[in-house]
């Protein structure tokens, strides 16, 4: 399939993508990302000289519109499955995200978003802004007490996160 790690490395290995870790995304999201070749990004957990933690590993999070046309064309069946207009979502922005098992960026919030999972499973914790204090610790309080909605997203499912809801 399109997101097979070996295929991605073979076909798009030299494509520059944005990468980061949990702290990168929390601090400043895509703006604070580190560009590198996709092939290298897919191999990062085994990189030498860097101590890697499963929870704080590396993630690829590249806006789809920054990827080569051929890659964007392969993503079209997925990106075209989202409606053109929705009262909750003003503009369609797509981000290719690839992460290892167990990766999480911690509790955060942003504008309403839909997440389509193409491979694997993703555990979600969510709560409205009213239920979570701004200075609430990410671990473990959000997961144990503060998150009002918990679910496991499976391959092919789309998850909607309402505007300004905390999630991880």
């Amino acid at each position: 399939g399109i997101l097979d790690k070996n295929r991605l490395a073979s076909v798009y290995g030299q494509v520059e993508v944005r990468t980061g870790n949990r702290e990168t995304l929390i601090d400043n999201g895509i703006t604070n990302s580190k560009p590198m070749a996709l092939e290298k990004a897919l191999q990062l957990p085994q990189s030498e000289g860097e101590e890697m933690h499963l929870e704080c590993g590396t993630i690829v999070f590249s806006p789809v519109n920054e990827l080569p046309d051929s890659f964007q064309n392969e993503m079209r069946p997925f990106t075209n499955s989202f409606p053109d207009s929705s009262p909750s979502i003003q503009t369609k922005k797509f981000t290719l995200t690839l992460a290892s098992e167990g990766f999480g960026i911690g509790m955060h919030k942003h504008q309403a978003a839909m997440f389509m999972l193409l491979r694997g499973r993703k555990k979600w914790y969510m709560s409205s802004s009213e239920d979570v204090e701004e200075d609430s610790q990410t671990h473990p309080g959000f997961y144990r007490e503060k998150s009002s909605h918990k679910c496991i997203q499976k391959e092919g499912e789309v998850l909607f996160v309402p505007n300004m809801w905390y999630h991880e």
Side-chain angles (χ1 to χ4, degrees):
I2 183 175
L3 293 181
D4 175 74
K5 187 176 174 178
N6 293 325
R7 182 184 173 281
L8 285 174
S10 171
V11 176
Y12 299 108
Q14 299 310 308
V15 170
E16 188 174 89
V17 294
R18 297 179 188 228
T19 65
N21 60 28
R22 181 176 185 183
E23 287 75 28
T24 303
L25 292 170
I26 289 173
D27 288 344
N28 204 8
I30 289 177
T31 309
N32 198 26
S33 63
K34 177 182 176 185
M36 70 174 60
L38 178 59
E39 183 175 50
K40 183 176 181 197
L42 291 173
Q43 298 172 359
L44 272 181
Q46 294 84 31
S47 67
E48 54 187 281
E50 288 184 39
E51 186 177 330
M52 299 298 287
H53 300 283
L54 187 60
E55 181 181 313
C56 298
T58 298
I59 183 173
V60 170
F61 56 102
S62 281
V64 170
N65 65 0
E66 293 181 3
L67 298 171
D69 289 343
S70 58
F71 204 146
Q72 289 184 43
N73 288 336
E74 283 199 60
M75 299 300 295
R76 259 190 239 309
F78 308 111
T79 58
N80 286 345
S81 66
F82 289 92
D84 285 330
S85 61
S86 167
S88 302
I89 300 173
Q90 302 304 314
T91 58
K92 293 189 337 181
K93 296 179 184 176
F94 298 100
T95 303
L96 173 67
T97 305
L98 304 168
S100 299
E101 180 180 342
F103 183 88
I105 62 169
M107 173 182 74
H108 64 284
K109 64 181 180 177
H110 47 69
Q111 293 179 340
M114 290 195 278
F115 297 88
M116 176 184 280
L117 188 65
L118 301 180
R119 278 191 74 158
R121 294 169 15 135
K122 165 90 172 106
K123 185 182 258 185
W124 288 90
Y125 298 87
M126 298 178 290
S127 189
S128 70
S129 295
E130 298 89 44
D131 295 337
V132 179
E133 296 174 21
E134 285 288 334
D135 61 352
S136 180
Q137 287 188 350
T138 301
H139 297 288
F142 184 65
Y143 306 103
R144 291 190 189 148
E145 300 104 29
K146 302 279 185 182
S147 55
S148 57
H149 296 70
K150 299 171 179 113
C151 69
I152 296 178
Q153 183 182 17
K154 298 176 187 144
E155 245 174 66
E157 294 180 336
V158 176
L159 178 81
F160 175 76
V161 176
N163 193 46
M164 302 313 281
W165 269 50
Y166 283 98
H167 59 280
E168 203 275 307

